[in-house]
Amino acid sequence: MSDAKTLSSDSSNAAPTPLPENLEELQQDLQLARELQQAMLPLQYPTFPRGAPPHESALLFHHDYRANSAIGGDFVAILPLSANSAGIFLCDVMGHGVRAALVAAMISALLEESKHLATDPGALLTEINRGLIEILQRTRTLVFTSAFYLVADASSGQMRFANAGHPAPLHAGRGISSDKPAFVSSLNGTPGPVLGMISDATFPTCEQRLAVGDLLLLYTDGLFEVARDGGEIFGQERVFSSVCERLTRTPTLPLRDICNAVIEEAATFGGFEDDVCLVAMEVARLGISGEAGRDDLTGLFNEHYLRESLEREVHRAVRQSYEIGVIALEFRGIEEFSRRHGQGEADEVLRGFGALLTLHTRRSDIACRTRPTGFTLILPEASPDNTQRKAAQLCEVLKSHCPRLFETGELSLMLGLASFPQHGTSGEVIVQTATAAMKPKPS
C-alpha cells in the first residue's frame, strides 16, 4: 500500500498510463449493463383508474434505487394489474455486482413470464422460486434472493401480499388529527423461505385492509444495515421512527419527500455499503371503479368525467397561475359512412381515433369522448401557442394514420381551440368556446 502511494507521488506529473484494451472494454460493458439495468426500473408510474392524471390517481408511487457498484442486485417493478389494482414486486439478490445483477435480470424475466399469476402473491412467488431454482441448478450455483410482493386494490380497499424471506415492509398512516395520530407498524404475515433455496417451497398469501392515507414502504436490507464507526447499526427501528416523526410533524408531506428523508438520514448515519432500493405506495382514494367516467367504445373519459375534472383543473390553475388549453374535435360524415360501410366500420374509426389521442397526449392531459362523434382534449399548463401546436400535431398524426379522412372525402374533422383564462373563467365556458369555434381542419 505504501509503495503504491510513493509511486503515485513520484509520477504525479507523468502522462496517465493507458488502460489495457480489455479493461476499457470491460468498463464499457459495465456502463452498458448499468444503463440496461436502469431501463428495467419503473420509468413512470401507472395511475388508477387507468388513464387518470397522475395527481388524481387513487394510488401514488415513488422509488429510489442506489447500486453499491456499477450494477446491483436489487430489482423493483410496479405492475398495473387492472383499472383499479397494482402489484409491487421487490427483491434483493445475495451479494452485489455482476453476479447479483445477472440473477436480478433472471428474476425480472421470470416475473414477466409469471404475470398470469400476478393477482395471487403466494402463487407468483412460488412460480418464480421454481423457475429460479431450475435455472440455478444448471449452473451449480447457490444464490439466495429475498423478495416481497403485494397487490393493492383501490376498488375494494384490500391488500394481499406474500413474503420470501424479505424484511417486513413498513405500514404507516398520516397524523391527520389528534383523534387519528400518525402510526407506523410492520406489515407482518407468514413469510416463506428465500427464493432459490427450496424447490417445492410454497408462499402463503396474507390479506389486510387498506385505508385512505395509508403508506406502504418496501425496502431492501441495505437501507437499514448501515453501520457507523464502532459497529452501531442504523436498524429498522430508526427507519420506522424517521417515517413516524415526519408524518406527525408534517401530515401533508409528499410521499417523495418522506422517502428522500429516510434515505438521506440512513446515508448520513454511516454510508451505504450495499445496494439500496426503496419503493413506496400511498393510498389517496378508495372505492374507485375502473369503468366509472369511461366511454365504452373508445376507452377515453366521458362527458361526466370531463365536467368534474375540468373544474378541478381550473381551480388548480387559479392557485398555481398557469394556463389551460382546450381542443374540441368533431367528426363529420360518420352517419353516412356507417350507412355505406356498416356501424362496425364507423365504430372502428372512432375507436382508432381514441387510441391515437391516448398515444399522442401527455399523462396529465385529459382526453374525452363528449358526443357521439365529438371529442374534447384538456391540456393543463398549456399556453395558447402550445395548444395550437398540439392541434397541428394531431392533424399530422391523422394524416399518417387515417388517410381515409383526407383522401376519400367520406369523413372530415372539425377543430376548435380555446384557452383559460383568455376565453373564460370557468371550465364550462372554455369548452363551449372551443366547441363554438370548430371549423374544418387545414388540409
Side-chain angles (χ1 to χ4, degrees):
M1 180 66 70
S2 58
D3 291 341
K5 289 183 179 179
T6 302
L7 178 61
S8 174
S9 174
D10 293 341
S11 58
S12 58
N13 296 321
T17 303
L19 292 173
E21 183 177 348
N22 62 336
L23 184 55
E24 291 182 0
E25 291 179 359
L26 178 60
Q27 289 180 325
Q28 292 173 0
D29 288 345
L30 284 174
Q31 179 59 32
L32 175 60
R34 178 178 178 83
E35 292 173 3
L36 291 173
Q37 189 173 59
Q38 290 295 318
M40 292 165 56
L41 300 175
L43 298 178
Q44 60 183 12
Y45 304 124
T47 57
F48 303 90
R50 187 182 294 117
H55 64 275
E56 294 183 8
S57 179
L59 302 175
L60 307 174
F61 304 94
H62 179 69
H63 82 281
D64 195 326
Y65 182 23
R66 305 187 183 191
N68 181 255
S69 55
I71 50 179
D74 293 353
F75 170 69
V76 60
I78 300 174
L79 311 175
L81 304 182
S82 71
N84 48 35
S85 63
I88 302 178
F89 181 89
L90 177 63
C91 76
D92 180 3
V93 180
M94 178 182 67
H96 45 79
V98 174
R99 184 174 69 165
L102 288 173
V103 175
M106 287 192 294
I107 291 177
S108 171
L110 290 169
L111 175 64
E112 184 66 28
E113 291 178 3
S114 306
K115 274 189 176 179
H116 61 286
L117 300 172
T119 57
D120 185 337
L124 180 76
L125 291 187
T126 299
E127 181 65 14
I128 292 176
N129 178 66
R130 183 199 61 77
L132 180 62
I133 288 181
E134 186 176 292
I135 295 172
L136 294 178
Q137 283 176 341
R138 302 176 201 160
T139 65
R140 299 181 181 178
T141 300
L142 189 64
V143 179
F144 299 147
T145 302
S146 69
F148 195 96
Y149 179 63
L150 72 82
V151 174
D153 191 325
S155 176
S156 65
Q158 193 76 11
M159 173 175 56
R160 309 176 74 217
F161 58 92
N163 190 341
H166 199 79
L170 177 152
H171 180 202
R174 296 180 182 274
I176 58 178
S177 68
S178 57
D179 294 333
K180 292 185 178 181
F183 74 87
V184 176
S185 63
S186 291
L187 189 60
N188 292 316
T190 305
V194 294
L195 303 178
M197 185 171 70
I198 303 174
S199 58
D200 59 351
T202 57
F203 301 85
T205 295
C206 306
E207 295 189 4
Q208 191 164 317
R209 295 292 300 174
L210 290 169
V212 174
D214 277 6
L215 283 74
L216 282 305
L217 194 67
L218 288 66
Y219 45 85
T220 56
D221 58 16
L223 176 66
F224 61 86
E225 290 183 349
V226 177
R228 60 169 41 147
D229 292 341
E232 184 183 2
I233 301 295
F234 187 72
Q236 286 181 281
E237 287 300 322
R238 281 193 174 90
V239 174
F240 281 40
S241 62
S242 177
V243 172
C244 190
E245 176 186 348
R246 284 164 176 80
L247 292 177
T248 301
R249 188 171 61 218
T250 312
T252 59
L253 192 65
L255 187 64
R256 174 191 295 271
D257 293 346
I258 295 171
C259 295
N260 290 346
V262 172
I263 285 187
E264 291 309 315
E265 187 172 333
T268 302
F269 182 87
F272 296 127
E273 296 183 356
D274 193 4
D275 302 328
V276 176
C277 188
L278 175 154
V279 56
M281 181 192 77
E282 179 173 1
V283 181
R285 289 188 294 129
L286 288 176
I288 68 166
S289 169
E291 302 305 319
R294 289 285 180 178
D295 171 59
D296 292 335
L297 178 64
T298 64
L300 301 177
F301 292 114
N302 59 25
E303 187 175 10
H304 175 73
Y305 185 90
L306 171 69
R307 288 196 299 267
E308 287 189 346
S309 59
L310 184 53
E311 291 309 320
R312 286 196 298 268
E313 284 298 334
V314 167
H315 289 314
R316 289 179 64 239
V318 171
R319 291 196 308 271
Q320 300 178 24
S321 300
Y322 63 74
E323 298 168 303
I324 301 174
V326 175
I327 303 176
L329 309 101
E330 180 83 30
F331 276 101
R332 294 294 170 88
I334 283 288
E335 295 82 359
E336 181 63 27
F337 183 88
S338 65
R339 283 194 291 270
R340 290 182 181 179
H341 303 282
Q343 187 60 47
E345 282 290 316
D347 287 347
E348 203 53 46
V349 170
L350 296 173
R351 187 181 294 112
F353 183 66
L356 286 175
L357 279 183
T358 301
L359 185 63
H360 293 279
T361 52
R362 303 169 301 174
R363 291 177 63 82
S364 58
D365 296 338
I366 306 171
C368 310
R369 184 189 181 198
T370 49
R371 298 171 303 282
T373 59
F375 299 81
T376 304
L377 183 60
I378 307 301
L379 308 172
E381 301 184 59
S383 67
D385 287 344
N386 289 336
T387 303
Q388 182 70 47
R389 282 193 289 270
K390 172 56 70 174
Q393 180 195 36
L394 291 176
C395 290
E396 291 301 317
V397 168
L398 283 171
K399 284 182 181 180
S400 59
H401 289 81
C402 307
R404 174 183 286 161
L405 292 174
F406 300 92
E407 295 176 0
T408 68
E410 290 184 278
L411 301 176
S412 61
L413 185 68
M414 307 283 284
L415 282 176
L417 310 181
S419 295
F420 172 87
Q422 289 86 348
H423 298 111
T425 57
S426 73
E428 183 178 1
V429 170
I430 302 304
V431 170
Q432 289 175 350
T433 302
T435 303
M438 285 193 300
K439 58 183 179 180
K441 64 158 198 66
S443 57

mmCIF file of all heavy atoms in Angstrom, residues 67 71 90 148 180 258 304 335 436:
data_model
loop_
_atom_site.group_PDB
_atom_site.id
_atom_site.type_symbol
_atom_site.label_atom_id
_atom_site.label_comp_id
_atom_site.label_asym_id
_atom_site.label_seq_id
_atom_site.Cartn_x
_atom_site.Cartn_y
_atom_site.Cartn_z
ATOM 1 N N ALA A 67 -27.333 1.620 -6.432
ATOM 2 C CA ALA A 67 -26.459 0.456 -6.502
ATOM 3 C C ALA A 67 -25.133 0.764 -5.827
ATOM 4 O O ALA A 67 -24.603 1.873 -5.938
ATOM 5 C CB ALA A 67 -26.246 0.039 -7.953
ATOM 6 N N ILE A 71 -23.292 -1.912 -11.137
ATOM 7 C CA ILE A 71 -24.587 -2.574 -11.257
ATOM 8 C C ILE A 71 -24.904 -3.279 -9.949
ATOM 9 O O ILE A 71 -24.010 -3.615 -9.178
ATOM 10 C CB ILE A 71 -24.608 -3.582 -12.427
ATOM 11 C CG1 ILE A 71 -23.404 -4.517 -12.356
ATOM 12 C CG2 ILE A 71 -24.666 -2.873 -13.750
ATOM 13 C CD1 ILE A 71 -23.376 -5.537 -13.462
ATOM 14 N N LEU A 90 -40.522 -6.455 -5.123
ATOM 15 C CA LEU A 90 -39.185 -6.009 -4.729
ATOM 16 C C LEU A 90 -38.369 -7.224 -4.337
ATOM 17 O O LEU A 90 -38.842 -8.081 -3.588
ATOM 18 C CB LEU A 90 -39.261 -5.032 -3.558
ATOM 19 C CG LEU A 90 -37.919 -4.539 -2.996
ATOM 20 C CD1 LEU A 90 -37.143 -3.749 -4.041
ATOM 21 C CD2 LEU A 90 -38.134 -3.688 -1.748
ATOM 22 N N PHE A 148 -40.468 -9.640 -1.862
ATOM 23 C CA PHE A 148 -41.783 -9.313 -1.294
ATOM 24 C C PHE A 148 -42.667 -8.854 -2.446
ATOM 25 O O PHE A 148 -42.226 -8.096 -3.319
ATOM 26 C CB PHE A 148 -41.672 -8.209 -0.247
ATOM 27 C CG PHE A 148 -42.894 -8.069 0.613
ATOM 28 C CD1 PHE A 148 -42.962 -8.689 1.850
ATOM 29 C CD2 PHE A 148 -43.992 -7.328 0.184
ATOM 30 C CE1 PHE A 148 -44.096 -8.569 2.646
ATOM 31 C CE2 PHE A 148 -45.122 -7.212 0.959
ATOM 32 C CZ PHE A 148 -45.171 -7.836 2.199
ATOM 33 N N LYS A 180 -56.670 10.878 15.210
ATOM 34 C CA LYS A 180 -56.031 9.921 14.315
ATOM 35 C C LYS A 180 -54.556 10.295 14.153
ATOM 36 O O LYS A 180 -54.147 10.855 13.140
ATOM 37 C CB LYS A 180 -56.723 9.906 12.954
ATOM 38 C CG LYS A 180 -58.140 9.334 12.994
ATOM 39 C CD LYS A 180 -58.718 9.246 11.593
ATOM 40 C CE LYS A 180 -60.110 8.626 11.612
ATOM 41 N NZ LYS A 180 -60.681 8.516 10.245
ATOM 42 N N ILE A 258 -40.886 12.097 1.952
ATOM 43 C CA ILE A 258 -40.740 11.134 3.049
ATOM 44 C C ILE A 258 -39.649 10.126 2.721
ATOM 45 O O ILE A 258 -38.758 9.852 3.531
ATOM 46 C CB ILE A 258 -42.076 10.414 3.315
ATOM 47 C CG1 ILE A 258 -43.130 11.408 3.816
ATOM 48 C CG2 ILE A 258 -41.894 9.286 4.327
ATOM 49 C CD1 ILE A 258 -44.527 10.825 3.889
ATOM 50 N N HIS A 304 -69.213 13.282 -18.298
ATOM 51 C CA HIS A 304 -69.349 13.489 -16.856
ATOM 52 C C HIS A 304 -67.980 13.682 -16.203
ATOM 53 O O HIS A 304 -67.785 14.593 -15.394
ATOM 54 C CB HIS A 304 -70.066 12.293 -16.229
ATOM 55 C CG HIS A 304 -70.147 12.356 -14.736
ATOM 56 N ND1 HIS A 304 -70.988 13.229 -14.082
ATOM 57 C CD2 HIS A 304 -69.481 11.677 -13.763
ATOM 58 C CE1 HIS A 304 -70.852 13.076 -12.769
ATOM 59 N NE2 HIS A 304 -69.939 12.150 -12.561
ATOM 60 N N GLU A 335 -72.361 9.429 -39.926
ATOM 61 C CA GLU A 335 -73.651 8.770 -40.155
ATOM 62 C C GLU A 335 -73.711 8.177 -41.564
ATOM 63 O O GLU A 335 -74.101 7.016 -41.757
ATOM 64 C CB GLU A 335 -74.801 9.764 -39.950
ATOM 65 C CG GLU A 335 -74.946 10.269 -38.530
ATOM 66 C CD GLU A 335 -73.999 11.409 -38.206
ATOM 67 O OE1 GLU A 335 -73.198 11.801 -39.104
ATOM 68 O OE2 GLU A 335 -74.026 11.899 -37.066
ATOM 69 N N ALA A 436 -67.787 26.056 -30.035
ATOM 70 C CA ALA A 436 -68.371 27.032 -30.962
ATOM 71 C C ALA A 436 -67.365 27.472 -32.019
ATOM 72 O O ALA A 436 -67.750 27.924 -33.108
ATOM 73 C CB ALA A 436 -68.864 28.256 -30.174
#
